[in-house]
Amino acid sequence: MAGATGPKRQDTRKFFENLSGAGKCIAVLTSGGDAQGMNGAVRAVVRMGIYVGAKVYFIHEGYQGMVDGGDYIKEATWESVSSVLQVGGTVIGSARCKEFRSHEGRLKAAHNLVQRGITYLCVIGGDGSLTGANLFREEWSGLLNELIQQGLIDEEAARSHSHLHIVGMVGSIDNDFCGTDMTIGTDSALHRIIEVVDAIMTTAGSHQRTFVLEVMGRHCGYLALVSALACGADWVFIPEMPPEDGWEDNMCQKLSESRSRGSRLNIIIVAEGAIDRQGQHITSDLVKKLVVSCLGFDTRVTILGHVQRGGTPSAFDRILASRMGVEAVLALLEASTDTPACVVSLVGNQAVRLPLMECVQMTQEVQKAMDEKKFDEAVRLRGRSFENNLSTYRLLASQTARSELQNSSFNVAVMNVGAPAAGMNAAVRSAVRVGITEGHKMFAVNDGFEGFYKGQIKEIKWGDVGGWTGQGGSLLGTKRTLPAKHLDAIAEQMRIHNITALLVIGGFEAYVGLLELSSARDKYAEFCVPMVMIPATVSNNIPGSDLSIGSDTALNAITDTCDRIKQSASGTKRRVFIIETMGGYCGYLATVGGLAAGADTVYIYEEPFDIRDLQANVEHLTQKMKTSIQRGLVLRNENCNENFTTDFIYQLYSEEGRGVFDCRKNILGHMQQGGAPSPFDRNFGTKVAAKAIQWITRALKESYKEGKVFTNSEDTACLLGMRRRAMVFQPVAQLREETDFVHRIPKEQWWLKLRPLMKILAKYKTSYDVSDAGQLEHVTRVRPKENDASAAI
């Protein structure tokens, strides 16, 4: 793959080349309910396992296949996981297995594994599947002794297979496993729900209807809660937090008020396991009957059912599954006889390893707390991602402005700057409503800094932002204009409207604009107010944040299009597609989109390449296409190299691949910037904006003296970004040093560490730095506040 060379670093890094899999046999199985993304995890385990020199086996039909043995346990090849990344469900099958729950069944399973030399097991499933794996591991030596006594294996076989190592990955659409912010399949399930909600909202608005949506989640309300946040639902019912007694009147009153303010539709979301304070089930039919009898509203029920499990995996799930699969193989290779069975988890934006049974016990404690009606405890045990979702929903659901500020009438302005990004409107809606709840008067600035200096500023009220979460682009309007040449006019507008705080949502221009405003504080007292920026750009090129609002939607557009483009060639001869992505000089979309779409090669500006690299890539792809591989995918970031254009690369591959494959090219263009925001971007925008407004409220209180707001300290002009596990407010002045202003990118970019992983999955030989790999940690029950990665969806 392009540009394998790079600057020399100190030799403190640890490379997995030292972790040889030679002579080891790894088996992978999927168990329990299926989840989109499981195939991505299987693919990553197989390819990483083969890469390190291990033999890898599929166990078909979960534990049932392990018990039955025979053809259910087959050796996997590199090609056998080709074209599975975009397939939903699990291609190796899953089944509930009663037999494995018995000692006799586990004895058969142990015999089948020993016969094939398998002592490393990767289990992808829910807490039941992982608990079963742990029990199997604990009984292993006893099972081997029984097999010796029965004459099925000899002592030498028992000695050479004396330890079973297990690593788990959680595949579950319910996101009901403690210890990880996201389980494989959850994001895809949210995509299915939000697709339905968006479709329903158009018909509901046409007829002035109320829709009651029932979503999966028998024991966990995550899907219901997040989809309620992502679509701005009027009411949500979840098992972890039953409504207060008298909820029937409260809900009907809220729906009635919403209609009286001009809303044409109401959405109520019910988790299938929703209960009241007495433990009685709250069903979707019960809610419908209540709305009809109390309000007479035209009401419909939609039960989503197994639609939520189906369909193609989202970009997020493909990337999560690929990262987790590689991490699982590393954890297996590093496992020693005294390492506990672990589960690979995601915390914030970082992979971690946690003792499997600690996670299982904590997951079981949630159910125990709910059974004992300790609902606050249940929410706390679910983890900080769940808590943050719930607290943000409550904040946005509160419609009565409570003034904690003695009606000091702070005026907060919200604006979008730069190119439009899906999720901007969700962030504006959240900011406006949380601001009103905090007692502020909220102002909307149209058309960015250009609209600011022209005076396009007006008060924006609660009802003005109704239905904004699902809208793509920027409803406020946005321009790339920078403020430097218009500081006098902007200061004048801030004086006229008495703006006492500023929230800027946007891309690189928003960051530079905030720098310009804060640098001018010594000349303009009007800019001596709290100012905060939220990164929102498809390019994800803002220093100080791992993720930007809008980039997830763009990644989904890229992966969906790559899937369609690859499918367009089915049934024809071998074909390679050359695809150009957006991103300016930032290779995030190309790299991470390439990982999600299963690209063979990705060319980016950050990793320079020359004609020799191009030649090596063509030869590598030609060799692959001579096997059973039918499709090739090459992604090129738009500004990766001024001379090696998309046309040049297309012509080179066409010429060099002649007789083996033919080529097609596509420039994806602005479709990456459009479309309805993904659930992740809606949720991310909603939560980050709420957090930013709460920060503004604190900063206003601290800087309000003698009847006016004044602050010129660095830490009151901030960027709110996600860094590894934490959401952090960072002074923009301090981020200058981290910025390459010429190319509009951060000097250090976390996702570059994903490139070797992508190369390995594309069959390249490369060095992979594992010094940043997940280390075994313990499950923490109460996380410190500053470690609050509320960005995790």
Side-chain angles (χ1 to χ4, degrees):
M1 191 173 276
T5 55
K8 291 262 195 274
R9 300 193 203 172
Q10 296 174 343
D11 284 332
T12 52
R13 295 184 299 166
K14 183 173 71 171
F15 292 100
F16 75 64
E17 282 84 337
N18 310 327
L19 298 169
S20 170
K24 294 175 179 171
C25 294
I26 299 171
V28 57
L29 72 133
T30 52
S31 174
D34 63 310
Q36 309 97 317
M38 278 182 164
N39 291 325
V42 170
R43 171 180 176 266
V45 170
V46 168
R47 291 193 170 173
M48 187 66 172
I50 290 170
Y51 187 89
V52 297
K55 247 187 184 183
V56 186
Y57 288 88
F58 291 137
I59 300 179
H60 291 272
E61 310 305 332
Y63 286 119
Q64 191 65 56
M66 199 194 290
V67 171
D68 293 344
D71 284 344
Y72 286 106
I73 305 176
K74 282 184 187 164
E75 190 175 347
T77 63
W78 199 89
E79 287 84 7
S80 62
V81 286
S82 185
S83 301
V84 302
L85 195 54
Q86 67 270 29
V87 179
T90 163
V91 293
I92 58 173
S94 182
R96 313 262 179 202
C97 177
K98 280 186 182 171
E99 213 176 336
F100 188 76
R101 292 180 190 167
S102 70
H103 183 78
E104 199 53 46
R106 291 192 292 277
L107 190 66
K108 282 186 196 172
H111 185 217
N112 287 327
L113 295 191
V114 172
Q115 279 183 314
R116 291 162 182 81
I118 298 167
T119 52
Y120 294 85
L121 203 53
C122 183
V123 181
I124 307 164
D127 60 339
S129 307
L130 298 179
T131 306
N134 192 65
L135 175 64
F136 190 41
R137 178 180 180 268
E138 286 173 353
E139 289 182 351
W140 184 255
S141 58
L143 293 171
L144 293 190
N145 287 336
E146 281 186 59
L147 291 172
I148 292 170
Q149 285 162 16
Q150 291 178 18
L152 292 170
I153 63 170
D154 58 25
E155 296 209 0
E156 176 51 39
R159 197 161 40 251
S160 56
H161 301 93
S162 58
H163 291 282
L164 179 67
H165 301 286
I166 285 176
V167 171
M169 279 183 273
V170 192
S172 161
I173 66 163
D174 291 334
N175 204 28
D176 56 355
F177 192 80
C178 293
T180 185
D181 285 345
M182 282 294 267
T183 58
I184 295 165
T186 306
D187 186 67
S188 301
L190 286 169
H191 273 257
R192 297 298 91 79
I193 294 167
I194 293 305
E195 282 160 16
V196 172
V197 171
D198 285 353
I200 277 174
M201 284 176 100
T202 54
T203 181
S206 303
H207 295 276
Q208 283 204 322
R209 278 191 179 137
T210 297
F211 266 88
V212 183
L213 250 82
E214 185 181 300
V215 302
M216 279 183 164
R218 202 169 300 139
H219 305 292
C220 178
Y222 187 90
L223 288 178
L225 178 57
V226 173
S227 46
L229 257 183
C231 72
D234 296 276
W235 201 273
V236 65
F237 294 96
I238 59 171
E240 291 87 349
M241 191 47 67
E244 299 294 338
D245 291 342
W247 61 268
E248 297 90 343
D249 291 340
N250 293 337
M251 182 184 76
C252 291
Q253 186 185 346
K254 186 174 178 185
L255 297 179
S256 177
E257 284 171 4
S258 167
R259 284 289 171 95
S260 64
R261 279 199 310 274
S263 171
R264 292 182 59 82
L265 75 154
N266 301 110
I267 299 282
I268 301 164
I269 295 184
V270 184
E272 61 180 329
I275 51 171
D276 63 18
R277 292 266 152 182
Q278 282 65 51
Q280 297 300 306
H281 273 287
I282 297 175
T283 65
S284 43
D285 273 339
L286 173 74
V287 174
K288 175 191 169 175
K289 283 174 186 162
L290 186 66
V291 175
V292 172
S293 62
C294 291
L295 300 171
F297 289 175
D298 185 3
T299 307
R300 299 283 189 276
V301 171
T302 300
I303 298 172
L304 295 189
H306 280 72
V307 165
Q308 295 156 86
R309 274 197 199 284
T312 188
S314 66
F316 184 99
D317 272 330
R318 298 182 198 196
I319 295 153
L320 175 66
S322 300
R323 287 175 74 182
M324 298 296 106
V326 168
E327 185 68 38
V329 173
L330 293 177
L332 282 172
L333 293 179
E334 290 179 358
S336 63
T337 52
D338 51 1
T339 314
C342 76
V343 62
V344 179
S345 298
L346 182 78
V347 178
N349 190 32
Q350 200 177 10
V352 297
R353 299 174 195 169
L354 298 167
L356 192 153
M357 287 318 291
E358 285 186 21
C359 297
V360 168
Q361 280 154 11
M362 197 157 160
T363 304
Q364 289 167 350
E365 279 181 39
V366 176
Q367 192 56 49
K368 190 174 167 220
M370 284 158 63
D371 292 342
E372 293 172 359
K373 297 190 169 55
K374 296 177 180 172
F375 298 112
D376 289 332
E377 173 77 355
V379 169
R380 194 176 62 77
L381 287 166
R382 277 270 179 245
R384 54 114 203 258
S385 173
F386 192 94
E387 278 187 290
N388 287 324
N389 282 309
L390 187 57
S391 60
T392 307
Y393 183 81
R394 283 172 166 163
L395 204 57
L396 289 163
S398 158
Q399 293 193 26
T400 49
R402 63 175 200 285
S403 176
E404 297 174 350
L405 307 164
Q406 293 89 43
N407 295 319
S408 47
S409 65
F410 290 135
N411 293 350
V412 180
V414 183
M415 64 196 294
N416 294 154
V417 176
M424 276 182 164
N425 298 320
V428 171
R429 170 188 175 271
S430 174
V432 167
R433 291 195 168 177
V434 173
I436 291 168
T437 304
E438 296 277 356
H440 311 316
K441 199 181 257 191
M442 300 302 293
F443 286 83
V445 181
N446 294 111
D447 296 339
F449 287 115
E450 190 174 306
F452 210 149
Y453 78 77
K454 289 179 178 174
Q456 293 170 274
I457 303 165
K458 63 178 191 299
E459 189 179 350
I460 186 164
K461 296 203 161 70
W462 187 281
D464 297 336
V465 291
W468 278 32
T469 49
Q471 302 285 321
S474 164
L475 292 170
L476 288 186
T478 180
K479 294 276 175 72
R480 292 181 181 271
T481 312
L482 290 169
K485 294 177 184 171
H486 312 284
L487 293 174
D488 284 342
I490 291 171
E492 175 66 15
Q493 290 298 332
M494 288 188 75
R495 195 160 47 249
I496 290 168
H497 295 279
N498 189 27
I499 302 296
T500 53
L502 187 60
L503 172 62
V504 185
I505 302 163
F508 205 84
E509 290 85 1
Y511 164 61
V512 175
L514 199 57
L515 272 173
E516 290 176 358
L517 290 184
S518 59
S519 300
R521 278 174 161 180
D522 53 344
K523 292 184 189 162
Y524 300 92
E526 291 82 1
F527 302 150
C528 296
V529 297
M531 298 189 278
V532 65
M533 178 210 158
I534 297 170
T537 164
V538 299
S539 302
N540 197 31
N541 61 332
I542 309 298
S545 189
D546 288 357
L547 297 171
S548 301
I549 296 164
S551 58
D552 183 74
T553 305
L555 282 175
N556 279 291
I558 291 167
T559 49
D560 287 351
T561 311
C562 288
D563 287 353
R564 289 180 189 191
I565 287 171
K566 284 200 284 187
Q567 193 182 41
S568 72
S570 63
T572 65
K573 58 184 177 175
R574 290 179 168 79
R575 185 163 285 171
V576 171
F577 295 95
I578 316 293
I579 295 176
E580 183 187 297
T581 67
M582 285 175 114
Y585 284 97
C586 179
Y588 176 81
L589 286 182
T591 296
V592 183
L595 185 58
D600 295 277
T601 310
V602 176
Y603 298 107
I604 62 169
Y605 165 77
E606 291 91 340
E607 202 170 87
F609 57 97
D610 58 24
I611 194 69
R612 287 177 295 280
D613 294 313
L614 284 166
Q615 183 63 30
N617 297 153
V618 176
E619 286 171 7
H620 183 267
L621 192 50
T622 306
Q623 290 308 310
K624 271 206 296 197
M625 298 294 270
K626 285 177 179 172
T627 66
S628 58
I629 304 294
Q630 296 278 320
R631 307 280 162 264
L633 186 63
V634 175
L635 265 56
R636 179 189 175 273
N637 163 253
E638 58 186 348
N639 288 350
C640 66
N641 187 297
E642 61 181 330
N643 295 314
F644 298 139
T645 61
T646 302
D647 278 339
F648 177 90
I649 290 174
Y650 162 68
Q651 286 162 358
L652 177 74
Y653 275 76
S654 296
E655 180 60 34
E656 296 296 315
R658 196 186 295 275
V660 180
F661 57 80
D662 65 358
C663 279
R664 295 288 185 272
K665 66 172 181 191
N666 291 77
I667 294 172
L668 299 187
H670 281 74
M671 62 166 291
Q672 296 158 84
Q673 217 162 283
S678 67
F680 186 97
D681 278 331
R682 298 181 195 200
N683 195 322
F684 191 33
T686 299
K687 286 197 283 191
V688 177
K691 200 172 180 68
I693 292 292
Q694 289 173 314
W695 176 89
I696 280 174
T697 301
R698 287 194 299 274
L700 283 169
K701 286 178 180 176
E702 287 163 11
S703 56
Y704 185 69
K705 292 177 184 71
E706 296 168 15
K708 64 180 283 192
V709 172
F710 183 89
T711 179
N712 56 7
S713 60
E714 264 191 2
D715 62 358
T716 56
C718 280
L719 179 146
L720 172 56
M722 184 183 187
R723 286 246 161 135
R724 291 168 77 89
R725 303 189 190 189
M727 287 299 302
V728 200
F729 290 93
Q730 304 142 97
V732 284
Q734 290 176 20
L735 292 173
R736 275 182 194 274
E737 295 304 308
E738 299 181 24
T739 311
D740 172 353
F741 285 97
V742 175
H743 298 102
R744 297 159 56 93
I745 53 175
K747 289 177 182 173
E748 298 258 325
Q749 302 190 87
W750 70 272
W751 51 265
L752 285 167
K753 288 179 177 167
L754 297 180
R755 284 185 67 78
L757 183 153
M758 184 178 60
K759 293 174 188 179
I760 288 163
L761 296 177
K763 215 174 184 177
Y764 279 87
K765 288 290 174 195
T766 186
S767 288
Y768 184 49
D769 177 8
V770 297
S771 46
D772 195 42
Q775 301 304 311
L776 192 65
E777 301 180 12
H778 290 283
V779 179
T780 49
R781 286 167 190 283
V782 183
R783 298 181 190 275
K785 280 247 165 105
E786 64 272 17
N787 235 20
D788 177 16
S790 56
I793 187 173

